[in-house]
Amino acid sequence: MRPSLLVVGSLAFDTLETPSGIAKDELGGSATYFSHSASHLAPKVRLVGVVGKDFPKRHIEEFRERSIDTAGIQVVPAGKTFRWHGRYRTDMSNAETVSVELNVFGKFAPQIPASFRKSPFVFLANGSPTTQRTVLDQVEKPVFVLADTMNLWIETARKDLLELIHRVDGLILNNTELLQLSGESNVIAGARWALAQGPRVVVIKKGEHGSMLFVDGEIVALPAYPLEHITDPTGAGDSFAGGFMGHLTRCGGTSLADMKRALVYGTVIASFTCEDFGLRRLFSLTDADIERRVAEFAKIVSVDVKPRRRAKAAAGR
Amino acid sequence: MRPSLLVVGSLAFDTLETPSGIAKDELGGSATYFSHSASHLAPKVRLVGVVGKDFPKRHIEEFRERSIDTAGIQVVPAGKTFRWHGRYRTDMSNAETVSVELNVFGKFAPQIPASFRKSPFVFLANGSPTTQRTVLDQVEKPVFVLADTMNLWIETARKDLLELIHRVDGLILNNTELLQLSGESNVIAGARWALAQGPRVVVIKKGEHGSMLFVDGEIVALPAYPLEHITDPTGAGDSFAGGFMGHLTRCGGTSLADMKRALVYGTVIASFTCEDFGLRRLFSLTDADIERRVAEFAKIVSVDVKPRRRAKAAAGR
C-alpha cells in the first residue's frame, strides 16, 4: 500500500493585496495550499472540503493532475465557495482581513469517504475544533494526525480545542498563537505547555523567522529560507504543513530524523509559495526546484563545529 | 605572535529591571560584555574605554583575570562612569530606557595605546561614527574590523555612519536597524544594500530569532539557542559580537567556514549572557559550558537531507 495523506480543510477564492500588486479571485484555502504542496512529496493525497457551484471544474482537474484524490470534495449546488479578501502592507507577516464570506464553509461538516478512512497520515487544517474532531471520529487508526488552529478558536472555543489537542499526535501553530494558547511569554515554555496537553509533537511556525519542532524531548530550530522579495505570503503556513506532512508520508515514518527532514521540506515549499500570488508558484514548481533549494538550504544552515580546533588553539596559548 | 583582538566601546553601570527582578549598579557597557565574552576564545583581548573615579578596582581585576589587557582604560578622576537604567516588560526583545547618564563616555575620545595599534582584529562597539572613525585612524593595517551601530546614529549621523561603513570589513547590527539604515522592508534586501556600501561582511542580529551572515556572496542563517527562560537580555548583542570576533581571532582567519563557526560561538555565548543579570553568567562560564552548548546547538540545527531517499520514494510510485 502506498502511504496516503488525508487533508481536511478549506477551498476558497482569495483577493490578495500586497505591496507587489493585487490578485482577484485567486484559488486559495488551507486544504488547497496544503494538498498542492504535499503532492510534490506524498505519493497519495486525499482532499476533503466543500465548495459551491461557482467552483470551476478546472481547479478540480488541477488537483487530479497532481494525483490529489478529489473524491472528498463536496459540491453544494445552492451555495457559494468561501471567499477571503486580505491585505498586506509593508509588514508581510500580518494580513489584514478586508472581508470574509464563509459561504458553504460556514456549515462544513466533513464527510470522509470510506476509501479515505484508512489514511495513515492526517492533517486537520485550520477550522473549528468541533469540526476537526468529527474528522478524528471518522478516520481509522491513523499513524500521525497533525492539527492546525488559529487565534479565533483559542479565543472562542478553548475547551474544545484543548480536547482536540489531547487527541492528536501533533499540533502546528504560529508563535503568537502558541503564546496566546499557553499563556506563556516564551515560545519554548509555550511548547512545553502544549506537549503537556498530550501531543507528541509541536511545530511552531515563525514566518520569516523560521520554525521550531519539539519532539521526543528534542528541540529543532531552523531559520526560514532567505527570500529577498516576498510577493504574497498567503498560504505559506499551509504550504509549510504540506511539505512537512508530505515528507513524513513519503518516508512513512515519524522519527526525529524524519521530522527534521520534513521541517526542511516544509520550509522550502513555503518559500516557493511566497514568490508569487496564491498558488501560482506551486503550479510551476518542479521536483528539481525543490531538491535544488533543499540542498541550498542545507548549506545555509550547516554548521561544522570541530571541537579539535578549540583544543589546538588552547594548547597554543 | 598570538592573534589579538582590540575592542573600543563603553564601560558602564546598569540598573536593570526585567520580569525576573531588579539589579542595581551592575557592571555593564558594550566593551565590557564584548571583552569578557571574547576572552573565552581569543588568546588576547585589548580593551579601550573610559570610566570615572567611581569605577571599582575589582572590575579592572576581573578583566585581568580573564587576560583582558586594560592598558587602554582611561580613568577620568573628576568624572563619573556612564550609567544606564533600562526596563524590559513582557517583551524581552525591547528595552525601555528609564534614564541615561553619559558622564565620561559623553566626551570619550579613544586613545589607542601604542602596544594595541597592531591588533589584527578590531571591534568598534556601538558609539558615534565619528568616535569610531578615530579608532580606524589609529590602528595599523588590521585584518578585520567589525563595526556595530544603533538607531541613534542612523537618525542623527547618517553621513558619518555611511563613511565609516565604507571603511570597515564588517557591519553588525540588528534587523530593525538594518531596515532603518537601508530603507528596505526586507532584511535580505537590506543586507545587499549594506554590502554595496563597502563591507565584505554583514551580520544581522535578530535576538530570539537568531542571526544571519552575508559574506562572499553566501548567506548563513541560524536560529538563536532556544532558552526557556530569559532573565536579562542586556548585553546579548555585544556578547554575540564577542563570541563571533573571539572565534575569528582564535583561528586567525576570516573565511566563510571560519565565520560560520564564529556565528555559532556568538549565538552560544549570547545565550549564556541572557541567563542572568548583567555579566553574572559570563563570570561563572567555563570553556566546558561553551563547548557543551556549541555541540547541543549544532545538533539542534543539523539537517541531514539525503537526496537518495527522494529518488527511492519516486521509484516506488
Side-chain angles (χ1 to χ4, degrees):
Chain A
M1 192 189 73
R2 292 187 306 173
S4 55
L5 169 58
L6 170 67
V7 51
V8 182
S10 65
L11 295 93
F13 291 114
D14 292 341
T15 292
L16 306 161
E17 294 184 45
T18 83
S20 300
I22 300 183
K24 289 186 179 169
D25 301 330
E26 281 288 313
L27 178 65
S30 57
T32 306
Y33 282 103
F34 180 92
S35 56
H36 273 286
S37 296
S39 75
H40 286 276
L41 307 169
K44 259 192 216 170
V45 179
R46 294 161 166 174
L47 171 55
V48 172
V50 64
V51 295
K53 65 171 189 295
D54 55 345
F55 197 79
K57 280 222 162 51
R58 67 181 170 92
H59 293 320
I60 303 289
E61 285 307 316
E62 286 159 0
F63 287 125
R64 290 181 182 157
E65 280 163 22
R66 298 279 334 150
S67 300
I68 298 163
D69 192 331
T70 59
I73 299 182
Q74 305 163 39
V75 183
V76 180
K80 283 177 66 185
T81 302
F82 178 26
R83 282 182 179 266
W84 180 71
H85 180 168
R87 185 183 289 149
Y88 302 82
R89 296 185 190 273
T90 49
D91 172 15
M92 299 294 272
S93 58
N94 281 300
E96 169 196 327
T97 293
V98 180
S99 66
V100 59
E101 296 169 40
L102 287 176
N103 298 328
V104 296
F105 190 64
K107 292 189 177 169
F108 180 40
Q111 299 297 322
I112 313 301
S115 60
F116 284 12
R117 289 187 187 157
K118 281 187 178 155
S119 304
F121 293 85
V122 177
F123 181 62
L124 306 176
N126 177 33
S128 94
T130 316
T131 307
Q132 290 175 314
R133 195 198 62 219
T134 67
V135 176
L136 288 186
D137 294 340
Q138 295 175 67
V139 293
E140 291 170 27
K141 296 186 186 167
V143 171
F144 186 79
V145 179
L146 182 70
D148 192 3
T149 192
M150 72 183 288
N151 52 358
L152 176 67
W153 314 118
I154 295 169
E155 289 156 20
T156 65
R158 185 181 170 83
K159 189 168 162 285
D160 293 335
L161 179 58
L162 290 178
E163 280 176 25
L164 181 90
I165 293 171
H166 189 69
R167 287 182 62 184
V168 298
D169 304 287
L171 177 67
I172 184 166
L173 74 184
N174 75 37
N175 50 333
T176 53
E177 289 162 353
L178 177 65
L179 297 183
Q180 188 184 11
L181 176 64
S182 64
E184 298 284 351
S185 59
N186 170 294
V187 290
I188 294 120
R192 296 212 192 284
W193 178 92
L195 289 171
Q197 311 309 307
R200 190 189 136 215
V201 176
V202 172
V203 183
I204 307 172
K205 298 175 286 184
K206 305 199 297 172
E208 64 167 319
H209 298 303
S211 61
M212 298 184 82
L213 167 72
F214 294 75
V215 54
D216 302 339
E218 302 282 341
I219 301 181
V220 179
L222 291 179
Y225 175 83
L227 279 182
E228 188 160 352
H229 186 74
I230 291 173
T231 299
D232 172 24
T234 307
D238 292 305
S239 300
F240 181 90
F244 181 80
M245 290 294 279
H247 177 80
L248 290 185
T249 306
R250 173 171 72 179
C251 69
T254 64
S255 71
L256 173 64
D258 294 331
M259 295 223 175
K260 278 183 146 184
R261 271 182 223 116
L263 209 65
V264 173
Y265 279 93
T267 298
V268 162
I269 295 187
S271 74
F272 283 114
T273 295
C274 295
E275 291 184 342
D276 205 344
F277 283 101
L279 285 118
R280 293 179 197 178
R281 186 65 184 93
L282 289 179
F283 283 135
S284 67
L285 192 62
T286 65
D287 290 358
D289 290 337
I290 295 171
E291 292 308 322
R292 201 178 303 118
R293 191 165 285 185
V294 163
E296 201 191 338
F297 184 74
K299 199 174 146 205
I300 285 168
V301 300
S302 78
V303 291
D304 167 24
V305 185
K306 295 170 187 160
R308 59 193 160 76
R309 186 176 267 271
R310 172 79 189 125
K312 261 192 212 165
R317 275 194 200 170
Chain B
M1 190 188 77
R2 290 187 309 172
S4 54
L5 170 58
L6 170 67
V7 52
V8 183
S10 65
L11 296 93
F13 291 115
D14 292 342
T15 292
L16 306 161
E17 295 184 43
T18 84
S20 299
I22 300 183
K24 289 185 181 170
D25 301 329
E26 282 287 314
L27 177 65
S30 58
T32 308
Y33 280 103
F34 180 93
S35 57
H36 272 287
S37 297
S39 75
H40 286 277
L41 306 168
K44 259 193 218 171
V45 179
R46 294 161 167 175
L47 173 54
V48 172
V50 63
V51 296
K53 64 171 191 291
D54 54 347
F55 197 79
K57 280 222 164 45
R58 68 181 170 91
H59 293 321
I60 304 289
E61 286 306 317
E62 285 159 0
F63 286 124
R64 290 180 183 158
E65 281 163 21
R66 297 280 334 150
S67 301
I68 298 162
D69 192 330
T70 59
I73 299 182
Q74 305 163 40
V75 182
V76 180
K80 284 176 65 184
T81 302
F82 178 26
R83 283 182 178 266
W84 180 71
H85 180 169
R87 185 183 289 149
Y88 302 84
R89 298 185 188 271
T90 48
D91 173 14
M92 299 295 270
S93 57
N94 281 300
E96 168 195 329
T97 293
V98 179
S99 66
V100 61
E101 297 170 40
L102 287 176
N103 299 328
V104 296
F105 190 64
K107 292 187 180 175
F108 180 40
Q111 299 298 319
I112 314 300
S115 60
F116 283 14
R117 289 187 187 158
K118 282 187 180 158
S119 304
F121 293 85
V122 178
F123 181 63
L124 307 176
N126 178 32
S128 95
T130 316
T131 307
Q132 291 175 312
R133 196 199 60 218
T134 67
V135 176
L136 288 186
D137 294 340
Q138 296 176 66
V139 293
E140 291 169 28
K141 296 184 188 168
V143 171
F144 187 77
V145 179
L146 183 70
D148 192 3
T149 192
M150 73 183 290
N151 52 359
L152 176 66
W153 314 117
I154 296 169
E155 288 156 19
T156 65
R158 185 180 171 82
K159 191 169 160 287
D160 293 334
L161 179 58
L162 290 178
E163 280 175 24
L164 181 90
I165 292 171
H166 189 69
R167 287 181 62 183
V168 299
D169 304 288
L171 176 68
I172 184 166
L173 74 183
N174 76 37
N175 50 334
T176 53
E177 288 162 353
L178 177 65
L179 297 183
Q180 189 184 9
L181 176 63
S182 64
E184 297 285 350
S185 58
N186 171 293
V187 290
I188 294 120
R192 296 211 192 284
W193 177 93
L195 290 170
Q197 310 309 307
R200 190 189 137 216
V201 175
V202 172
V203 183
I204 307 173
K205 298 176 285 183
K206 305 198 298 173
E208 64 167 320
H209 298 303
S211 62
M212 297 183 84
L213 167 72
F214 293 76
V215 55
D216 302 339
E218 301 283 341
I219 301 181
V220 179
L222 291 179
Y225 176 82
L227 279 181
E228 187 160 353
H229 186 74
I230 292 172
T231 299
D232 171 24
T234 307
D238 292 306
S239 299
F240 181 89
F244 182 79
M245 289 295 278
H247 177 79
L248 290 185
T249 306
R250 172 170 73 177
C251 69
T254 64
S255 70
L256 173 64
D258 295 330
M259 295 226 176
K260 277 183 146 182
R261 271 181 224 117
L263 209 66
V264 173
Y265 279 93
T267 298
V268 162
I269 295 186
S271 75
F272 283 114
T273 295
C274 295
E275 291 184 342
D276 205 344
F277 283 100
L279 285 116
R280 293 179 197 179
R281 185 65 184 90
L282 289 179
F283 283 134
S284 66
L285 192 60
T286 66
D287 289 357
D289 290 336
I290 296 171
E291 292 308 323
R292 200 178 303 118
R293 191 166 285 186
V294 163
E296 199 190 337
F297 183 75
K299 198 172 145 203
I300 285 168
V301 299
S302 78
V303 292
D304 168 24
V305 185
K306 295 172 188 159
R308 58 191 160 77
R309 187 177 265 272
R310 172 78 189 125
K312 258 192 211 163
R317 274 194 198 170

